[in-house]
Amino acid sequence: MALTGLDIFKKLPKTNCGECGVPTCLAFAMKLASKQAELDACPYVSDEVKEELSEAAAPPIRTVEVGFGENAFKVGGEVVMYRHEKTFFNPCGFALLIEDSASGEEIEKKLSQVKSSQFERIGQILKADLIAVKYSSGDENRYLSLVNKAKDLNFPLILICSDEGVLKKSLEATKGTRPLIYAAQERNVDSMASLALEYQVPLAVKADSLDNLSSLTEALKSKGVKDIVLDPGSRSLKKTFENLIFIRRAAIEKKVRSLGFPAITFPNEEVSDDYFEVAYAAGYVVKYGGIVVLNDLSPEKVLPLFVLRQNIYTDPQRPMQVEEKIYEFASPDENSPFLVTTNFSLTYFIVSGEIESSKIPTWLGVVNTEGLSVLTAWSAGKFTSEKIASFVKGKSIAERINHKKIVIPGYVAILKGELEDELPGFEIIVGPREAGDIPAFLREWKT
Amino acid sequence: MENLLNSYTGKIREVTIGGDGLIVGGQNTLPFYLFEGEMPHKPLVAMEVLDIEPTDWPPALTEPLSGVLNDPLKWAKKCEDLGADLICLYLLGTSPDGANKSPEEAGELTKKMLENIKVPLVIYGSGDKEKDPKVFTKVTEAALGKNILFGPAQEENYKLVAGAALATQQNVIAFSPLDINLAKQQNILITQMGVKPENIVMDPTTGALGYGLEYCFSILERLKLAALQQNDTMTQMPIICTVGKEVWKVKEAKVSEAEEPSWGNAEKRGINWEVVTAFTLLLAGADIVVVRHPKSLEVLHALIKELLS
């Protein structure tokens, strides 16, 4: 699958012209192999070679882009079965389903959810990614008016429409916005392919078995359609779970190119109860869903799903970090305790959770340790007395508290002496080793 | 599709809990991968009961359990009636930092609990490294012949805890702090004490959704892969995840809608938080999940049933 630098080098002009920005063709080839350069940077390589190299270097699952501009949504491009093997790259997307047969009031409510159900967490905005607009009223004007309304929200669209005439009009109305069209099936594969090619949009394909799905994508590829999203047609948790595993396995372990595409799932069609819709969707976040279509975006339903996606798609090698700053709990004042800890998100969450639950006004200084936990950061030299001292000075902590006491985590008790040397006038107090003991510690606190 | 199937060399051990012999484990395939293996025993959903009345639970939890929260026996009975596979009695009240109940009181409660319910019993100590072994001595004596599952056996006290399991022939929970190597190490140490591998269930530390779930998730996946693909016998113990205890202390699961209007209905949000955490961990390899809300129990049972159908 992955080509080596030497394999690539053989196909390059070998003139060492340097126009790609790298002095030699060999060095350029090495950069290509490690994905630090793009083949397009070479002005002399032939189209034929380009095609050959891009096919060979393509990830086992194609990355498909829906929408355009800064709201464009990218899905696929995964290379492993389990996140610990490397990471999952492109977070799956959540789509809000709106049917044109719904009442005007219902439609307005759903459209407003797209903006209201957004949350900030660890420096990321958590939100839905797409709006799926479904033609079910039989009234084409009604559908087109909904498509236009959804388009105005600047979210990537999925046009779910079984009438090709209406679909074509919707594509005209959304020209240039690159919606995903749904869906090519055995009966309409030729005409849907033509629409996808004419309007340069990604195409979803639906079949009742993986074998049939695979033949359909072969047919589409031979016509030149490259951006494909798979719907294995199943509408039950058990069967969809199985299909998603098979699709991912086929693409990654068996290099089956015809199934090397992201998959779309419809928990909204599999079950009507809200709790189950959330649970099914969670299952597809964990196990290989690419786009997950939901009936609504009520915050109590989507917040857990958005956070799950953030968790599962975190790079296991790059821990989540929180911002270096002073966090305040329960309006602390100049007499409140001042604790310091590291900026590893889990450390922060656990420590802040315990402080919050104690309801005792507290300052928490979070030092940037590049996302390492207390002990790891200490042993890596990223949570040292110098670092803590410069944080304390840099953030003018002396002005916030009048007791001049700083509490350090129990695990770095060893830093007490050094820190007192670095911070004359401050008393360094060794706090608990475990976060769970923080509330008791805070209750005993006396200035 | 046939050439997409994998086979596994190892299988998860069967651990028998309770007087009537409820079995957990035994699968020779990844969680719910029934197209290429078997799960002879379904994953279990336990409900948590405390030995003291909880003071910091949100209304989403106290309302459906109102009237029983101050009586562990009634509480456990209610959970049994709701269909819990196991009762997980958490002896928080024995903590020296809290109510500091005596080991004798814990033993007495265990005895009454066992007379009062038919479903098997899991017992967690408060986690206090010195107190727990003393509590377990009384608890396991009271549960003689009832084959309970109890723990945690931690790095600092596993010898005493495993000793109590050995002396009374019961099952022990091997606890490790979110680290696959320590999880395996703990199993090795406890078996070296003479406890049979089929009397051990692992607790590799549970992280709630948004609070370390991804670490727990990947440790579970790695443990199950090591057990099944590499036939690593010291990772083949079933896994228990204490979901409810972790979930219901996080802000997103418990703050009221009045405090965070943009987060929506508090009760539904809390249940979703618990179900999503538990279901994610079941898909990663949990064999027992412990939850607090009756609705979570109902939803998880239905999900497991559907995936095993």
Side-chain angles (χ1 to χ4, degrees):
Chain A
M1 218 286 296
L3 291 181
T4 66
L6 277 180
D7 293 335
I8 299 171
F9 175 63
K10 287 178 196 150
K11 315 266 181 191
L12 295 178
K14 305 191 191 71
T15 51
N16 298 337
C17 69
E19 286 179 44
C20 59
V22 183
T24 66
C25 290
L26 181 60
F28 181 57
M30 292 300 175
K31 280 192 175 270
L32 283 175
S34 60
K35 307 224 188 304
Q36 290 167 3
E38 293 286 334
L39 191 58
D40 288 340
C42 174
Y44 302 108
V45 68
S46 71
D47 284 349
E48 202 174 297
V49 169
K50 265 189 193 168
E51 181 73 6
E52 201 181 326
L53 286 180
S54 70
E55 177 74 6
I61 297 176
R62 186 175 173 85
T63 306
V64 175
E65 214 169 299
V66 186
F68 75 108
E70 58 182 38
N71 270 335
F73 166 72
K74 237 171 44 179
V75 63
E78 302 303 336
V79 298
V80 293
M81 295 297 294
Y82 306 101
R83 60 186 290 280
H84 65 260
E85 296 174 308
K86 191 172 180 73
T87 186
F88 291 169
F89 286 102
N90 291 309
C92 61
F94 291 106
L96 167 66
L97 179 84
I98 307 180
E99 296 198 40
D100 68 344
S101 56
S103 70
E105 194 188 342
E106 172 90 343
I107 288 174
E108 289 309 319
K109 189 180 153 211
K110 284 197 172 188
L111 288 170
S112 73
Q113 280 186 335
V114 176
K115 299 267 180 207
S116 64
S117 280
Q118 299 197 6
F119 315 91
E120 198 193 328
R121 198 166 197 279
I122 331 174
Q124 293 181 358
I125 301 294
L126 309 182
K127 61 180 180 68
D129 310 273
L130 308 122
I131 304 174
V133 188
K134 184 171 179 179
Y135 179 55
S136 56
S137 67
D139 173 350
E140 82 175 52
N141 291 329
R142 201 179 164 99
Y143 186 62
L144 287 170
S145 123
L146 176 58
V147 168
N148 278 317
K149 270 188 194 163
K151 187 187 88 174
D152 290 344
L153 289 174
N154 271 329
F155 267 65
L157 299 183
I158 305 174
L159 302 176
I160 302 181
C161 180
S162 53
D163 180 318
E164 282 154 48
V166 178
L167 183 58
K168 193 167 162 67
K169 286 182 188 163
S170 320
L171 283 166
E172 275 302 325
T174 54
K175 220 167 184 173
T177 67
R178 219 180 135 72
L180 168 67
I181 55 174
Y182 181 98
Q185 301 185 51
E186 207 169 347
R187 58 176 169 81
N188 65 0
V189 61
D190 292 339
S191 50
M192 289 298 279
S194 310
L195 280 178
L197 290 170
E198 183 184 346
Y199 290 92
Q200 296 286 304
V201 295
L203 173 61
V205 49
K206 181 182 179 185
D208 55 9
S209 76
L210 295 188
D211 284 332
N212 292 344
L213 198 58
S214 173
S215 337
L216 282 180
T217 64
E218 288 293 354
L220 290 172
K221 278 164 87 176
S222 70
K223 289 177 198 299
V225 179
K226 288 181 177 159
D227 290 322
I228 298 172
V229 172
L230 307 175
D231 175 0
S234 47
R235 291 295 183 268
S236 74
L237 174 66
K238 184 183 164 71
K239 199 64 199 162
T240 302
F241 174 73
E242 202 175 294
N243 280 333
L244 292 175
I245 292 166
F246 281 142
I247 290 173
R248 176 68 72 99
R249 241 187 216 178
I252 288 180
E253 291 181 350
K254 310 287 176 189
K255 315 293 175 219
V256 178
R257 287 276 179 196
S258 59
L259 292 176
F261 300 96
I264 185 167
T265 64
F266 294 89
N268 66 310
E269 289 183 16
E270 295 179 341
V271 70
S272 58
D273 179 274
D274 281 349
Y275 292 116
F276 286 93
E277 189 188 355
V278 170
Y280 285 24
Y284 305 148
V285 171
V286 170
K287 289 277 181 181
Y288 316 135
I291 296 174
V292 181
V293 182
L294 300 170
N295 258 331
D296 72 288
L297 300 178
S298 338
E300 65 271 14
K301 286 173 69 178
V302 292
L303 181 59
L305 290 173
F306 291 168
V307 173
L308 177 65
R309 171 177 62 176
Q310 188 180 39
N311 280 176
I312 295 295
Y313 281 85
T314 296
D315 184 345
Q317 263 103 48
R318 289 223 320 251
M320 300 284 288
Q321 306 180 19
V322 296
E323 193 191 339
E324 171 174 279
K325 67 173 196 182
I326 296 169
Y327 293 82
E328 302 179 7
F329 298 90
S331 315
D333 62 19
E334 67 279 5
N335 296 317
S336 308
F338 194 101
L339 278 55
V340 291
T341 192
T342 74
N343 79 329
F344 174 37
S345 65
L346 197 49
T347 301
Y348 168 77
F349 277 136
I350 293 171
V351 169
S352 63
E354 295 294 345
I355 296 175
E356 248 167 32
S357 75
S358 78
K359 300 197 167 65
I360 294 169
T362 303
W363 304 95
L364 177 64
V366 169
V367 181
N368 180 2
T369 55
E370 292 162 38
L372 298 181
S373 63
V374 171
L375 264 184
T376 323
W378 172 73
S379 43
K382 306 208 186 288
F383 195 50
T384 58
S385 51
E386 292 80 17
K387 196 120 183 207
I388 299 171
S390 91
F391 176 84
V392 169
K393 290 174 191 158
K395 302 277 188 226
S396 316
I397 285 163
E399 290 161 25
R400 297 181 192 240
I401 50 176
N402 57 20
H403 51 72
K404 301 283 180 290
K405 289 176 186 161
I406 307 271
V407 181
I408 58 172
Y411 277 111
V412 290
I414 194 164
L415 295 178
K416 178 177 158 74
E418 289 175 35
L419 252 179
E420 284 180 341
D421 293 344
E422 299 259 352
L423 292 170
F426 277 92
E427 185 188 340
I428 304 303
I429 297 185
V430 176
R433 288 159 76 100
E434 302 294 341
D437 298 325
I438 289 177
F441 174 85
L442 292 177
R443 278 193 289 275
E444 308 258 303
W445 169 265
K446 288 191 190 71
T447 53
Chain B
M1 284 310 122
E2 254 165 44
N3 52 15
L4 287 177
L5 299 182
N6 290 343
S7 61
Y8 305 91
T9 51
K11 98 180 224 201
I12 306 303
R13 283 176 198 285
E14 293 186 337
V15 174
T16 306
I17 310 170
D20 295 334
L22 179 67
I23 300 174
V24 62
Q27 66 271 35
N28 62 357
T29 186
L30 287 171
F32 308 104
Y33 283 32
L34 298 185
F35 42 82
E36 60 194 10
E38 287 168 7
M39 287 184 100
H41 312 292
K42 61 181 177 110
L44 303 174
V45 188
M47 278 190 85
E48 185 178 310
V49 171
L50 301 189
D51 63 338
I52 47 170
E53 185 168 1
T55 51
D56 57 350
W57 284 19
L61 276 179
T62 53
E63 277 162 20
L65 296 168
S66 73
V68 300
L69 289 171
N70 58 357
D71 182 342
L73 296 175
K74 278 193 199 155
W75 185 351
K77 187 78 193 128
K78 175 161 182 138
C79 293
E80 178 176 50
D81 293 343
L82 287 166
D85 299 315
L86 300 154
I87 299 300
C88 181
L89 174 62
Y90 177 28
L91 297 171
L92 184 62
T94 62
S95 167
D97 300 329
N100 202 12
K101 291 190 178 199
S102 68
E104 288 72 20
E105 279 175 274
E108 195 55 33
L109 178 60
T110 304
K111 192 163 164 267
K112 284 189 193 147
M113 188 71 85
L114 286 164
E115 285 162 4
N116 202 43
I117 55 167
K118 289 189 194 69
V119 291
L121 189 58
V122 180
I123 295 187
Y124 265 86
S126 69
D128 186 274
K129 283 148 197 154
E130 280 93 49
K131 180 80 173 278
D132 272 359
K134 296 173 192 149
V135 170
F136 294 149
T137 306
K138 294 293 172 196
V139 162
T140 50
E141 278 169 13
L144 209 60
K146 295 288 188 177
N147 218 7
I148 62 165
L149 170 66
F150 75 97
Q154 307 188 63
E155 192 187 347
E156 298 83 351
N157 65 11
Y158 77 90
K159 286 188 179 164
L160 292 169
V161 179
L166 260 183
T168 59
Q169 302 276 306
Q170 311 203 49
N171 304 302
V172 67
I173 297 166
F175 177 84
S176 54
L178 215 55
D179 180 311
I180 183 166
N181 295 315
L182 294 179
K184 196 176 155 179
Q185 164 88 355
Q186 193 68 349
N187 290 336
I188 294 171
L189 291 172
I190 292 175
T191 45
Q192 281 172 352
M193 291 283 300
V195 176
K196 292 189 193 126
E198 59 268 28
N199 289 123
I200 301 175
V201 170
M202 290 186 267
D203 174 350
T205 305
T206 303
L209 173 62
Y211 294 81
L213 176 65
E214 71 273 33
Y215 294 90
C216 182
F217 176 81
S218 284
I219 285 173
L220 261 53
E221 283 202 331
R222 290 170 65 195
L223 282 169
K224 281 291 189 272
L225 288 169
L228 298 168
Q229 289 183 341
Q230 290 147 37
N231 198 15
D232 179 343
T233 56
M234 281 299 133
T235 60
Q236 288 171 339
M237 291 71 176
I239 295 169
I240 184 168
C241 288
T242 52
V243 172
K245 178 152 102 58
E246 297 304 321
V247 161
W248 292 98
K249 71 181 179 202
V250 315
K251 194 167 61 183
E252 288 86 344
K254 75 177 185 189
V255 302
S256 68
E257 190 170 359
E259 277 175 85
E260 287 287 353
S262 71
W263 287 358
N265 181 285
E267 186 190 11
K268 291 181 183 165
R269 169 165 27 89
I271 294 167
N272 283 330
W273 216 267
E274 184 164 54
V275 169
V276 168
T277 304
F279 190 43
T280 298
L281 294 175
L282 285 167
L283 293 176
D287 296 279
I288 305 174
V289 289
V290 187
V291 298
R292 284 182 175 171
H293 202 286
K295 186 73 191 178
S296 305
L297 172 79
E298 180 197 323
V299 175
L300 288 164
H301 266 161
L303 292 168
I304 291 168
K305 192 173 167 202
E306 154 84 9
L307 283 175
L308 291 183
S309 66

